Amino acid sequence: MNSSHFPPHRPQTAVAVPYPQQEQVVCFGSYRIYPQQRLVFDAERPLTLGKRALDILLVLLQYAGEVVSKEQLLATVWPDNSVEEISLRVHIAALRKALGDGQHGQRYIVTVPQRGYCLAVNIISDKLAAPPLPSEREHNLPLRLTRMLGRDDVLHRLLTLTPQQRLVSVVGTGGIGKTTVALRTAELLLGQFEQGIRLLDLAPLRDESVISVVLSKVLDLPATHGDPLPQLYRHLQNRHMLLVVDNCEHLIDGIASLADSLLRHAPHLHMLCTSREPLNIEGEQVIRLNALAYPTTLMTEVQTALTFPAIQLFIERALGCADNFVPDAQELAVVVQICQRLDGIPLAIELAAAHLSSLGLRDLLFQLQSSFRLLTQGRRTALPRHQTLRATLDWSYELLCEQAQQSLRRLSIFEGRFTLESAIAVAPWGSLAASQLLPAIAELVNKSLLNVDNSNLTLRYYLLDTTRCYARNQLQLAEESELAALHHANYCLLQMKRARQQWEQQSNPNWRQQCEAQLHELRTAINWALARPAHHALAISLTLASSPLWQELSLLQEYSRYLQQALSCETVGRSAELTMQLQLLLGSAWFHCRGDTPETWAAFVAAHHLAEQCQHRMGQLQAISGQMTINLSRGDYLAALQQGQQFEKLNWQREPVLWITSRRLQALALHYAGQQREARLLLDSIGSQLPDQHDPCYVTHNLGVQYDLHVATLTLQARILWLQGLSEQACAVATRALERATRIDHATSICYTLCMAGFVIAFHNGKHPLAIQRLSLLAQLTHRHAVVFFQNWVPYYQRLYLPLVDSTGPYPQPPQPPATMIGEFIATMKASFASPALLERAERGLTGWATAELLRVKADQLLSQPASDTDSAEQVLQQALQIAREQGALIWELRSATSLAELWHSQGRQSDAYGLLAPVYEKFSEGFSTPDVQRVGALLQRWQPVSTH
């Protein structure tokens, strides 16, 4: 291909491009490349390549048929970095594997010794076209990089059984190809399940208690602080879908129990599992997977031998490392012996074929024969195929250089995929230097012992489960397990500290995604350290440093278990400050996933005592605010007010943000206690001290306060303004709070301001379309982000608008609102929701900000009874009116005056009624279109005294 017809390639970050976008298409084989959009398709299926691999492909395409030197590739693909040649070789290997280079005898990328690489293909430059639209079917199946061989019969059975049977298990020994068969089956079944296909890989998991949590993530369900099973049942109940569960054997009891439960609750769910043993539950259909077929005698007839899948697999994999491997009849006989020696086990064949370039065919057979005689001795009790696979792994391991052996052992400490940075942080110690690691990794990749995932911008490596188990055994034999785990745990701690800093600064937009990828490693590190008293200090550090991750992923139920274990460590008992920090986190975790239980309260009380003992002001503020939060949610406003007054004892003048936060919390307590004038004065005093509102986000994370400071302050200001009768200003401020929270994209702050002000004020102001819109947003966000505290409010808010809004879905019909803060909110919005217990609290003066309105509701109930007690009702209304005036709550004063004036008017006291209501109405300077003020205006117009002149 003439390079002048191809635009010069410049490395760039892969970006999503809207479909459809037409451009010149470059084709070779089954592949179509859209260079400008950086898209590659194999037939109609998108091919996922890493950034560097795609850069290399585009350069080779630009000079198709010509040799591109290694120096040119390095300079073009890494223009701003000095990179060793080994990096290029790793990415070339990944690109070859992604393109299926070597399959069906097809060669795409040819290595030209001492010169470089050549894309040896015929290029077709197609007309302008747009890439195909992505499939609408939901699935998360990985891209198939190689074709499946010799499984036609079992594939046909699985394609028939899986849509018919609820549970099908593919069972076989390690390395036999269970995953390949299951994924190919799922791929061919795409489109047959209405809600698609999802893959759950259990290989990285070590604790069966987290299977349902990981499954929720696979199904794109929001994390929940409690048991995820009820949410899974609801989600799957009416869905016709296939769930593929891979690598079940090490968690067989847990997945068997979960599968049985899911299948009983979800009648349209189908499951396809892979395991080394059956699940042994009702309805399971077991498909035993045997080795690939191979000739049982030494055949020299080429065409006959090539019909056996074991032979086909060896030749295809051999082509991946030896460009010109085309066996003649004699060489084919050697291949037959190799496959016989390896019992047709796919993984063993792939490992052996990877050594062809360094050993040659006959030396390869000789090595296998001599090594196997030694390696299988002493393991006579093992099954024959287990012996073969173990012997193949032993043989492959022995052929590695010492540095590659060390690297393989130590890299097995990772549970899942890892980057080169991670490998350098964990593996090099002792006699293995960091400079030796990259060549060792390249050797492991070339020998098929280490796999490459190039689907992201950052290249990641991973071990197959069978290889990882083998390598971990070698790690134990080398007596390196503890030291490798220590390096791994220390690296996890470094990552958590880095993540915490980014979280506090809101400096990484991909924070959640990157941290979520580290979750399996974090679990392993904490569990390892907790199990060893000598490393309890490390376990505590990991537990403390990782708090943002558990919080943002809404895994506080699991996190609380680690916190409890950390608190039981002797190391904690020797440090009051460590105990305080853990108790604070435990109190916060329990509040969000359990509520205001006695245990939650005790955690904050214990933390407060320890903070005072240590004279730790930050800890005192956190503990006090935790206790205040519980008291506010309970509706115990007097206790919250007393706690707010404790902030005065802490001198925050030298720390402006903490001073502002403590003042805001005091104003919050005053507001709910019913002291609106004092609360507003306090807020006004900090208005000019707030940090720059244009900051990306100003969440005081280390205080345990989960809301942006501006959003929280504006939300409180809006509530106070509304109670003081300034409904238009309140609405504007509430909108500003919501806009700020949305702009910084802080989900918890959005939920907070919607729940406390945005929805409530729109409802009271009679802006019902806006209120319904905000309620819908609140429902979506609390469910998506598992903001449990506010999620519990949504069903009650939805009842206000039944049947105008859909209250189905994740929210069951709630009972009568409790006699706490949430009950006060609902009852002041719709009087019929006021429970006797709530009204009794109001009569005792315990409902703070809502007391005047709830007393008015009590009086209305007295008047609505058949034998109404007008004297008692009037007395209660007078009390409500007096409290509203004392609190500076003009809106409650208007409502109480309206009810009392209507009572007097019905008794013939028209002049008194008008004289009471008119002065209150005249206090309003805005909000004349809101329901309360508009109604009073209409009454006064009707009641206006007739002039005698």
Side-chain angles (χ1 to χ4, degrees):
M1 177 179 177
N2 192 321
S3 61
S4 63
H5 296 157
F6 200 90
H9 171 66
R10 295 178 179 85
Q12 54 184 298
T13 302
V15 296
V17 180
Y19 293 127
Q21 179 175 326
Q22 292 193 342
E23 64 165 288
Q24 195 84 6
V25 185
V26 180
C27 306
F28 66 88
S30 62
Y31 299 102
R32 286 180 296 133
I33 297 93
Y34 299 78
Q36 294 178 18
Q37 299 181 60
R38 297 175 62 81
L39 296 173
V40 181
F41 284 83
D42 181 3
E44 297 300 313
R45 183 168 181 173
L47 187 69
T48 304
L49 295 176
K51 178 183 181 298
R52 303 299 186 190
L54 182 54
D55 287 341
I56 292 170
L57 176 60
L58 293 178
V59 175
L60 293 176
L61 273 171
Q62 183 179 347
Y63 298 99
E66 304 175 23
V67 177
V68 182
S69 70
K70 298 172 184 177
E71 293 76 15
Q72 183 178 352
L73 281 170
L74 288 170
T76 307
V77 177
W78 288 274
D80 302 319
N81 303 95
S82 177
V83 178
E84 296 182 22
E85 183 186 326
I86 192 69
S87 294
L88 176 61
R89 286 160 52 193
V90 168
H91 286 85
I92 287 284
L95 179 58
R96 279 174 166 160
K97 191 167 187 178
L99 294 175
D101 207 347
Q103 296 182 22
H104 309 287
Q106 176 65 57
R107 299 301 302 170
Y108 297 129
I109 302 174
V110 177
T111 303
V112 182
Q114 308 303 319
R115 293 184 61 193
Y117 299 94
C118 174
L119 186 64
V121 295
N122 292 320
I123 296 294
I124 301 173
S125 184
D126 206 347
K127 60 183 180 180
L128 287 175
L133 291 173
S135 171
E136 294 180 359
R137 297 292 180 183
E138 284 191 352
H139 75 86
N140 65 334
L141 301 176
L143 185 66
R144 183 166 54 93
L145 299 180
T146 57
R147 66 172 177 148
M148 188 179 70
L149 296 166
R151 300 300 191 186
D152 291 348
D153 290 343
V154 71
L155 185 62
H156 178 73
R157 290 183 63 196
L158 286 170
L159 290 174
T160 303
L161 282 173
T162 305
Q164 297 175 353
Q165 301 292 326
R166 301 286 310 288
L167 173 62
V168 179
S169 295
V170 180
V171 175
T173 187
I176 207 70
K178 301 182 294 294
T179 299
T180 301
V181 169
L183 292 180
R184 180 57 176 156
T185 302
E187 185 180 296
L188 293 175
L189 288 174
L190 285 171
Q192 295 196 30
F193 291 87
E194 189 175 351
Q195 273 73 43
I197 299 175
R198 288 301 172 100
L199 168 65
L200 171 63
D201 184 7
L202 299 183
L205 305 186
R206 292 294 173 266
D207 183 358
E208 62 183 33
S209 67
V210 301
I211 298 176
S212 54
V213 176
V214 177
L215 176 57
S216 295
K217 174 61 182 175
V218 166
L219 295 174
D220 296 326
L221 297 179
T224 174
H225 296 305
D227 183 1
L229 280 178
Q231 180 180 235
L232 284 170
Y233 296 153
R234 289 193 300 269
H235 178 77
L236 294 171
Q237 184 176 10
N238 297 313
R239 280 177 163 78
H240 179 230
M241 70 182 301
L242 173 64
L243 177 62
V244 182
V245 187
D246 197 20
N247 299 299
C248 296
E249 53 276 344
H250 63 299
L251 298 174
I252 195 71
D253 292 335
I255 191 59
S257 174
L258 179 62
D260 184 66
S261 181
L262 290 176
L263 291 170
R264 293 180 186 278
H265 284 83
H268 307 296
L269 174 67
H270 292 244
M271 296 182 68
L272 176 60
C273 301
T274 73
S275 178
R276 298 183 189 180
E277 60 179 295
L279 273 61
N280 290 323
I281 62 176
E282 183 181 353
E284 181 182 22
Q285 180 75 43
V286 177
I287 300 295
R288 301 277 178 180
L289 194 62
N290 297 315
L292 293 176
Y294 56 88
T296 56
T297 60
L298 291 180
M299 293 185 177
T300 56
E301 216 293 308
V302 174
Q303 294 305 318
T304 305
L306 290 176
T307 61
F308 287 89
I311 307 300
Q312 296 170 5
L313 178 63
F314 182 92
I315 293 174
E316 285 203 358
R317 297 303 181 267
L319 280 169
C321 60
D323 289 348
N324 301 315
F325 180 65
V326 181
D328 57 23
Q330 291 183 339
E331 290 173 326
L332 198 59
V334 178
V335 174
V336 169
Q337 292 181 70
I338 291 173
C339 291
Q340 289 174 344
R341 173 62 62 181
L342 299 176
D343 292 326
I345 299 175
L347 179 57
I349 291 172
E350 292 192 21
L351 291 173
H355 291 278
L356 184 61
S357 61
S358 58
L359 291 176
L361 195 60
R362 295 190 183 277
D363 283 346
L364 176 60
L365 176 61
F366 175 77
Q367 289 276 356
L368 285 172
Q369 289 172 332
S370 57
S371 298
F372 272 38
R373 281 194 292 271
L374 295 172
L375 294 171
T376 56
Q377 290 176 5
R379 294 199 295 270
R380 299 302 182 190
T381 57
L383 294 174
R385 288 202 175 92
H386 288 178
Q387 286 187 358
T388 300
L389 181 59
R390 173 58 190 260
T392 307
L393 286 165
D394 279 337
W395 169 76
S396 297
Y397 180 75
E398 292 299 329
L399 288 177
L400 297 172
C401 68
E402 181 182 356
Q403 292 79 16
Q405 289 181 349
Q406 290 175 312
S407 300
L408 181 65
R409 293 196 303 263
R410 296 172 186 181
L411 293 176
S412 71
I413 203 69
F414 289 103
E415 297 292 345
R417 285 160 167 74
F418 56 89
T419 63
L420 182 60
E421 177 196 357
S422 306
I424 291 173
V426 171
W429 39 271
S431 61
L432 179 63
S435 60
Q436 298 170 313
L437 182 63
L438 191 56
I441 286 178
E443 182 178 352
L444 294 174
V445 171
N446 288 335
K447 303 305 183 189
S448 295
L449 289 166
L450 187 63
N451 297 276
V452 178
D453 176 5
N454 61 354
S455 60
N456 296 300
L457 292 180
T458 303
L459 201 67
R460 294 180 181 272
Y461 302 91
Y462 66 98
L463 284 80
L464 295 178
D465 191 47
T466 303
T467 311
R468 185 189 299 108
C469 291
Y470 172 84
R472 283 189 178 173
N473 184 55
Q474 294 299 320
L475 192 68
Q476 291 177 342
L477 293 175
E479 298 183 348
E480 295 177 337
S481 295
E482 291 298 296
L483 195 51
L486 179 60
H487 278 80
H488 176 262
N490 280 322
Y491 177 68
C492 286
L493 178 59
L494 178 65
Q495 290 292 87
M496 289 301 103
K497 288 180 177 179
R498 183 186 302 172
R500 186 182 189 90
Q501 184 179 18
Q502 292 175 346
W503 178 72
E504 290 174 349
Q505 297 173 351
Q506 297 285 307
S507 60
N508 184 357
N510 300 317
W511 186 92
R512 183 186 176 98
Q513 180 182 359
Q514 292 176 3
C515 288
E516 194 168 11
Q518 301 171 18
L519 189 57
H520 294 315
E521 309 300 336
L522 176 63
R523 287 182 176 123
T524 297
I526 295 180
N527 286 326
W528 176 83
L530 282 171
R532 290 158 178 78
H535 297 298
H536 278 176
L538 177 56
I540 294 165
S541 297
L542 279 164
T543 305
L544 290 172
S546 61
S547 62
L549 184 146
W550 302 102
Q551 174 187 305
E552 293 296 328
L553 296 182
S554 298
L555 295 174
L556 293 177
Q557 188 73 40
E558 182 180 355
Y559 185 44
S560 66
R561 294 196 294 268
Y562 286 126
L563 288 166
Q564 288 176 283
Q565 292 180 67
L567 280 166
S568 67
C569 295
E570 291 184 8
T571 306
V572 173
R574 296 194 294 268
S575 171
E577 185 171 334
L578 283 178
T579 307
M580 174 203 72
Q581 293 174 357
L582 291 169
Q583 289 283 13
L584 285 171
L585 289 168
L586 184 61
S588 178
W590 273 348
F591 178 76
H592 285 92
C593 60
R594 295 187 181 183
D596 55 353
T597 63
E599 294 82 7
T600 305
W601 178 261
F604 283 123
V605 170
H608 191 195
H609 172 74
L610 291 166
E612 289 182 326
Q613 178 182 323
C614 302
Q615 296 184 337
H616 195 289
R617 290 188 305 152
M618 180 76 74
Q620 292 179 61
L621 179 56
Q622 286 181 286
I624 294 170
S625 62
Q627 294 172 74
M628 178 188 287
T629 300
I630 292 177
N631 281 325
L632 288 175
S633 68
R634 291 174 175 174
D636 192 349
Y637 302 128
L638 293 178
L641 188 60
Q642 292 172 356
Q643 285 152 353
Q645 292 168 351
Q646 294 181 43
F647 292 133
E648 292 291 344
K649 301 176 184 178
L650 304 173
N651 182 17
W652 298 107
Q653 273 71 18
R654 294 182 180 179
E655 300 177 67
V657 174
L658 300 183
W659 177 80
I660 291 170
T661 301
S662 66
R663 302 282 279 182
R664 185 189 68 81
L665 290 172
Q666 291 178 67
L668 189 70
L670 287 167
H671 162 66
Y672 283 109
Q675 301 179 33
Q676 307 310 325
R677 298 185 186 89
E678 294 83 351
R680 185 174 175 183
L681 285 172
L682 203 55
L683 273 190
D684 290 344
S685 71
I686 67 175
S688 61
Q689 304 296 320
L690 280 170
D692 185 0
Q693 63 177 329
H694 297 294
D695 287 349
C697 186
Y698 216 106
V699 183
T700 50
H701 294 294
N702 32 338
L703 282 179
V705 180
Q706 304 307 316
Y707 318 122
D708 173 77
L709 199 51
H710 287 279
V711 173
T713 304
L714 290 171
T715 300
L716 178 56
Q717 184 183 7
R719 288 188 52 78
I720 295 171
L721 288 171
W722 184 82
L723 283 171
Q724 290 184 327
L726 300 170
S727 58
E728 293 177 12
Q729 293 183 50
C731 185
V733 172
T735 300
R736 282 173 52 203
L738 180 57
E739 289 173 348
R740 159 78 181 180
T742 304
R743 186 174 71 253
I744 63 176
D745 194 25
H746 193 253
T748 313
S749 295
I750 298 174
C751 294
Y752 172 74
T753 195
L754 280 172
C755 194
M756 297 289 121
F759 167 74
V760 177
I761 292 173
F763 180 93
H764 281 304
N765 285 356
K767 297 184 177 182
H768 296 298
L770 177 62
I772 291 174
Q773 177 188 345
R774 288 179 173 178
L775 175 56
S776 176
L777 178 60
L778 177 64
Q780 293 172 21
L781 291 177
T782 54
H783 182 60
R784 183 186 308 158
H785 297 282
V787 188
V788 176
F789 180 77
F790 300 121
Q791 191 174 3
N792 293 335
W793 289 54
V794 171
Y796 295 108
Y797 281 166
Q798 287 177 331
R799 288 182 66 180
L800 298 172
Y801 279 117
L802 287 176
L804 296 178
V805 298
D806 179 16
S807 63
T808 60
Y811 303 105
Q813 186 74 354
Q816 187 76 4
T820 58
M821 177 193 283
I822 188 172
E824 295 161 7
F825 268 67
I826 301 300
T828 54
M829 298 170 83
K830 194 170 184 177
S832 60
F833 286 117
S835 66
L838 183 61
L839 295 178
E840 190 270 335
R841 289 188 73 242
E843 290 180 282
R844 293 165 54 200
L846 301 179
T847 50
W849 69 283
T851 299
E853 172 62 4
L854 291 174
L855 288 176
R856 186 194 68 80
V857 171
K858 174 68 176 179
D860 281 352
Q861 288 185 0
L862 291 173
L863 292 171
S864 65
Q865 295 175 0
S868 59
D869 186 349
T870 55
D871 291 340
S872 296
E874 181 175 350
Q875 185 178 355
V876 172
L877 287 172
Q878 291 280 13
Q879 183 185 2
L881 189 61
Q882 180 62 29
I883 291 173
R885 287 170 175 165
E886 291 173 356
Q887 292 187 355
L890 182 58
I891 192 67
W892 295 158
E893 182 183 351
L894 181 71
R895 288 190 182 182
S896 298
T898 302
S899 293
L900 183 57
E902 287 180 316
L903 174 61
W904 286 352
H905 195 275
S906 68
Q907 295 173 337
R909 301 169 58 184
Q910 288 88 349
S911 179
D912 291 340
Y914 188 88
L916 170 66
L917 195 54
V920 178
Y921 180 78
E922 289 173 359
K923 294 180 182 180
F924 282 84
S925 59
E926 62 182 59
F928 296 104
S929 63
T930 60
D932 291 305
V933 183
Q934 199 172 43
R935 179 167 176 262
V936 171
L939 285 176
L940 291 175
Q941 191 172 6
R942 292 204 314 267
W943 295 350
Q944 188 171 11
V946 178
S947 175
T948 57
H949 300 288

